[in-house]
Amino acid sequence: MAEVATSVLHNVGNVLNSVGVSAELATSKVREFRTGSLKNVAELLQQNSADLPAFLTTDPRGKMLPDYLLKLAVHLAEPQQAILQEMEMLKKNIDHIKEIVAMQQRYARGTGVVEVLSVADLVDDSIRINAASFTRHEVNVACEIAQVPPLKTDRHKVMQILVNLLSNAKHALDQSEGDRRMMVRVTQNQEGMLEIAVIDNGTGIPPENLSRIFSHGFTTKKLGHGFGLHSGALAAKELGGTL
Ligand SMILES: Nc1ncnc2c1ncn2[C@@H]1O[C@H](COP(=O)(O)OP(=O)(O)OP(=O)(O)O)[C@@H](O)[C@H]1O
Ligand SMILES: [Mg+2]
């Protein structure tokens, strides 16, 4: 399950980055609050409490107070709005982390369990595990899922395969200048077998590499291991299918 665990950590890490940025922004906005000015106004009023009407109507500082307070209120409203927005964002990101962790727990129960599952849910989960990364890399992910019967399978193995395919697709898009698109298409073929295709408009695979990509250790990436497709193919075989 290394693929899923790595993706989970990577994505939680990404979301935590956004959480950090939001916290930072909110803190700097709080610093903008001119609470000192409010204190000065209160002190001024206190010093003149013996005859406030006279202070407000005749003293030049007193006469400026209503206008000043109004400006202060406007000034305080702006950072308040910005902080509220950041807090919203924080809450969303924290919910997202919770979701990713909950998903990981669903998949951490150990392999070898066969359940009746919805393919759409499996596809959805595999995309969501990588969602933060797709957003960050501006990858547009679409799904086309045909009406297919529920699947009796081991969710770990399917996830392991899908997560690596999605991660490969994302890597293939890393160098793309134009729009980065990915599509997961689920269909049922003429033999009644389910087909899940992960399609990207990235670099593509040179023909000479096509026969090698499933070999253990074959990678063209600086930090790649070349395990993903190899173990994915084995997992698919164990499920009675092919990759
Ligand atoms: N969608 C894709 N587009 C282009 N090349 C791909 C794609 N998927 C796989 N490849 C090629 O196949 C190679 C093997 O993929 P595989 O998933 O087995 O290993 P990897 O991604 O390099 O490393 P890892 O072990 O981390 O998955 C990749 O290094 C890449 O050259
Ligand atoms: Mg891979």
Side-chain angles (χ1 to χ4, degrees):
M1 273 338 277
E3 279 83 6
V4 176
T6 309
S7 279
V8 166
L9 284 180
H10 184 75
N11 276 278
V12 169
N14 275 344
V15 183
L16 278 176
N17 270 341
S18 309
V19 167
V21 170
S22 289
E24 195 92 25
L25 278 172
T27 309
S28 75
K29 283 286 166 193
V30 170
R31 287 212 186 90
E32 280 178 30
F33 278 126
R34 284 207 203 138
T35 46
S37 318
L38 210 54
K39 189 162 167 267
N40 292 345
V41 171
E43 277 170 3
L44 209 53
L45 290 171
Q46 203 173 37
Q47 284 157 15
N48 294 280
S49 56
D51 193 356
L52 271 183
F55 173 69
L56 289 172
T57 47
T58 55
D59 189 297
R61 290 168 309 166
K63 285 202 307 204
M64 270 159 51
L65 261 189
D67 260 359
Y68 181 74
L69 280 175
L70 196 65
K71 277 199 190 116
L72 197 61
V74 172
H75 180 82
L76 290 177
E78 190 267 325
Q80 186 191 33
Q81 197 50 41
I83 290 168
L84 279 177
Q85 262 171 23
E86 284 310 324
M87 290 298 139
E88 268 302 301
M89 193 82 102
L90 256 180
K91 201 178 138 339
K92 256 194 210 151
N93 277 325
I94 289 172
D95 284 347
H96 188 186
I97 293 175
K98 276 200 228 158
E99 215 175 85
I100 297 174
V101 171
M103 208 147 50
Q104 161 71 354
Q105 282 164 343
R106 275 210 294 283
Y107 290 94
R109 274 188 259 132
T111 53
V113 186
V114 172
E115 302 163 274
V116 177
L117 300 164
S118 138
V119 186
D121 287 350
L122 284 171
V123 168
D124 203 45
D125 279 358
S126 65
I127 293 172
R128 272 197 291 170
I129 280 187
N130 284 295
S133 177
F134 295 150
T135 310
R136 216 162 65 111
H137 293 263
E138 296 177 342
V139 176
N140 189 310
V141 188
C143 285
E144 258 181 33
I145 300 180
Q147 282 285 341
V148 291
L151 189 64
K152 218 172 158 189
T153 192
D154 176 339
R155 69 167 84 220
H156 288 83
K157 293 209 171 100
V158 180
M159 274 301 265
Q160 179 200 333
I161 299 168
L162 286 179
V163 167
N164 178 58
L165 291 181
L166 287 166
S167 143
N168 283 353
K170 200 214 81 194
H171 276 122
L173 291 165
D174 278 350
Q175 311 299 331
S176 296
E177 296 289 338
D179 61 334
R180 300 170 175 180
R181 279 179 289 121
M182 213 185 269
M183 148 94 82
V184 182
R185 186 183 286 150
V186 178
T187 48
Q188 197 166 12
N189 72 15
Q190 285 174 346
E191 289 92 57
M193 297 277 276
L194 203 72
E195 280 183 0
I196 306 178
V198 177
I199 305 156
D200 63 73
N201 68 339
T203 50
I205 306 174
E208 65 271 23
N209 283 353
L210 277 176
S211 57
R212 305 159 70 194
I213 54 172
F214 291 99
S215 308
H216 187 260
F218 176 79
T219 184
T220 54
K221 299 170 194 169
K222 230 185 185 164
L223 299 173
H225 303 286
F227 297 162
L229 289 178
H230 179 79
S231 56
L234 289 180
K237 206 168 162 196
E238 284 163 16
L239 294 173
T242 51
L243 179 62

